[in-house]
Amino acid sequence: MVMFQSQEQKKEAIQLIELDKTYQDFDVLIHKATKLICDGTQMEKINSFEDPIGEIEKKDVINDVNLKKDLVMSCEKTIVSSSEIKHKETYSLMKVVALIETAAKTRAKVLDLHNKLADKIEWLPLSLGKLADVTELNFSDKQIMALPTTIGSLEFLTKLDLHSNQIINLPDSLGELLNLTDLDLHANRLKSLPASFVNLVNLMDLDLGSNQFAHLPDFVGNLTSLKRLNVETNQLEELPYTIGFCSSLVELRLDFNKLKALPEAVGMLECLEILMLYFNRIKGLPTTTGNLSRLRELDVSFNELENIPKTFCFAVSLEKLNLANNFADLRTLPRSIGNLENLEELDISNNQIRTLPDSFRLLSKLKTFRADETPLEVPPRQIIKLGAQVSYICLL
């Protein structure tokens, strides 16, 4: 059995494992040990908290003499003095390194740790930067706390899935992923984005949901290729005016935040088809929403909505409109609501709307109309005029 050449090396190894303060050096050792594993070396299992990891015999490294000599010179014995959980984390990391090494050697295009590795890991090794050919990475649901700066080396990466981790900050090198089109950061602990994020001009799908954002940076307007933006379940109180420069945006999800209003610039999103705003504190919609000529679905339920602007009825492509649960605040619908000739579903439940505008009868495509807990006459005469094609639901 090999031994450390000095007590100082032994002390250093213990410190590396227990405190993870210099994980870069430890990553090198893991990388070397993983090569042995990939070449057929077997490591003996850990018997107790104080026992050594195992013996490395000559017969186990005959396929890589130089690597064996390097490993023997660097350390002759690894003393494990941390808890069983730490052992498991270390071994899990070694498996990650092995997967990365294999993917790098085979020039793999896709690496999916979510399905290939059941273990949880807190950080990723620097060797991640070796995946020069990879285009898709899935590191979701692993309790990862940080990304290595070497992630910026993955110049061909187009899809990165990091949802359901514990990431607090993103490295500046993330902005070097110029070919990135899909980025899922859902369910982490993020409060901000690095300034280099502005370089991700090819990004089309960005999920920032279930984080801790109080605001979005102004440079979000530079993401002109963005088609889907999800920022639901955060702490947003306002949107930057520059959101209007996201000219390709098709879907915008802002539900479960603290928004009190939307900027007028929202009306510049000419490609927008889906706008989700439920569970906020919005009192009114901007007059420019009438410019959203492609808008098909709007949900502004569970807000503090007091009125709908007349200009909103110019959004004639609208098919689904949910105004429910604004309670005592919303009392009327715009007189020109009949202009929404493509409207198929309308929900005004739990509001104080007492009458429907005369133009309501022009909604010839309306199929479902909900008016639970409202003071409307039952059934409204406008609904009768629309005929049997409307499913009128009113639960008093």
Side-chain angles (χ1 to χ4, degrees):
M1 182 180 294
V2 292
M3 302 292 294
F4 272 109
Q5 294 180 356
S6 69
Q7 288 299 320
E8 185 63 27
Q9 287 176 317
K10 181 187 297 184
K11 181 180 178 181
E12 181 181 1
I14 294 173
Q15 185 179 20
L16 289 173
I17 295 173
E18 292 183 336
L19 303 179
D20 285 336
K21 288 184 177 180
T22 55
Y23 73 87
Q24 293 94 338
D25 294 335
F26 188 48
D27 178 66
V28 174
L29 295 177
I30 292 175
H31 171 64
K32 293 175 180 178
T34 301
K35 284 188 175 181
L36 291 176
I37 294 173
C38 294
D39 289 336
T41 300
Q42 297 294 323
M43 292 186 62
E44 295 181 1
K45 64 180 180 180
I46 300 171
N47 295 319
S48 68
F49 297 169
E50 300 298 329
D51 288 337
I53 286 181
E55 296 183 0
I56 302 176
E57 301 180 1
K58 283 188 176 180
K59 62 181 181 180
D60 293 321
V61 293
I62 57 175
N63 292 327
D64 197 338
V65 176
N66 291 333
L67 182 59
K68 185 205 69 167
K69 290 180 178 179
D70 189 19
L71 185 58
V72 171
M73 289 177 62
S74 63
C75 67
E76 294 185 341
K77 181 180 179 182
T78 303
I79 298 178
V80 180
S81 59
S82 57
S83 68
E84 183 176 309
I85 295 177
K86 184 62 68 176
H87 286 310
K88 185 176 180 180
E89 290 176 353
T90 302
Y91 185 59
S92 297
L93 184 58
M94 293 179 68
K95 288 194 287 186
V96 172
V97 177
L99 288 170
I100 290 175
E101 286 296 324
T102 301
K105 289 179 180 179
T106 59
R107 305 187 69 176
K109 300 294 184 183
V110 178
L111 179 58
D112 186 349
L113 287 191
H114 177 74
N115 293 316
K116 287 187 176 182
L117 184 70
D119 302 352
K120 305 297 183 180
I121 52 174
E122 292 187 356
W123 49 275
L124 295 169
L126 296 173
S127 57
L128 181 67
K130 289 185 175 183
L131 300 176
D133 298 290
V134 75
T135 60
E136 296 184 19
L137 286 179
N138 185 350
F139 295 153
S140 60
D141 196 19
K142 292 298 168 196
Q143 295 184 355
I144 297 170
M145 299 182 66
L147 299 177
T149 56
T150 53
I151 195 171
S153 302
L154 311 184
E155 58 178 316
F156 295 111
L157 192 65
T158 60
K159 185 175 182 179
L160 178 58
D161 189 345
L162 295 165
H163 82 263
S164 302
N165 282 293
Q166 299 293 322
I167 301 173
I168 299 175
N169 293 303
L170 297 171
D172 288 336
S173 58
L174 192 74
E176 298 172 17
L177 303 177
L178 302 183
N179 290 308
L180 198 63
T181 60
D182 295 81
L183 178 57
D184 190 347
L185 295 166
H186 188 92
N188 277 280
R189 299 167 60 189
L190 294 168
K191 294 183 179 180
S192 63
L193 297 173
S196 62
F197 210 86
V198 69
N199 298 324
L200 304 181
V201 294
N202 290 310
L203 202 59
M204 293 190 291
D205 192 330
L206 176 59
D207 194 338
L208 300 174
S210 298
N211 277 282
Q212 300 174 20
F213 288 96
H215 66 276
L216 291 179
D218 289 341
F219 62 66
V220 70
N222 290 70
L223 307 180
T224 53
S225 297
L226 203 60
K227 292 186 177 181
R228 180 180 179 272
L229 176 60
N230 181 14
V231 204
E232 54 86 15
T233 317
N234 276 277
Q235 301 173 25
L236 294 180
E237 295 186 2
E238 61 180 5
L239 287 181
Y241 183 86
T242 54
I243 191 72
F245 300 137
C246 297
S247 54
S248 300
L249 203 58
V250 173
E251 181 176 345
L252 179 57
R253 294 186 175 272
L254 299 166
D255 33 292
F256 291 100
N257 278 287
K258 300 178 181 179
L259 294 171
K260 296 180 180 179
L262 297 178
E264 293 288 332
V266 166
M268 299 166 59
L269 302 175
E270 297 181 355
C271 295
L272 194 64
E273 296 181 8
I274 299 174
L275 179 56
M276 296 287 107
L277 297 167
Y278 54 90
F279 280 99
N280 277 282
R281 302 172 184 174
I282 297 173
K283 293 184 178 296
L285 296 174
T287 57
T288 55
T289 51
N291 298 333
L292 304 177
S293 58
R294 297 186 185 181
L295 189 65
R296 294 186 295 104
E297 183 174 357
L298 172 64
D299 191 334
V300 68
S301 59
F302 291 97
N303 276 276
E304 300 172 9
L305 207 61
E306 296 176 348
N307 60 75
I308 308 294
K310 297 177 181 179
T311 54
F312 173 75
C313 297
F314 291 114
V316 294
S317 295
L318 198 64
E319 298 174 1
K320 297 180 181 180
L321 176 58
N322 191 344
L323 302 171
N325 298 293
N326 282 278
F327 301 103
D329 300 301
L330 188 59
R331 297 179 178 274
T332 61
L333 293 176
R335 293 183 178 180
S336 55
I337 194 171
N339 290 347
L340 303 178
E341 54 188 22
N342 290 299
L343 195 63
E344 297 179 0
E345 298 181 20
L346 174 61
D347 192 342
I348 63 169
S349 300
N350 289 299
N351 288 302
Q352 292 301 310
I353 299 174
R354 295 182 175 275
T355 60
L356 299 177
D358 290 337
S359 66
F360 194 94
R361 60 186 174 81
L362 300 177
L363 301 177
S364 59
K365 293 184 179 180
L366 191 64
K367 296 178 181 178
T368 302
F369 174 53
R370 298 189 66 99
D372 308 350
E373 300 293 338
T374 61
L376 280 175
E377 58 177 299
V378 184
R381 57 188 174 83
Q382 291 88 347
I383 296 296
I384 297 176
K385 291 181 179 180
L386 282 174
Q389 77 270 18
V390 179
S391 173
Y392 174 57
I393 304 171
C394 183
L395 303 176
L396 299 177

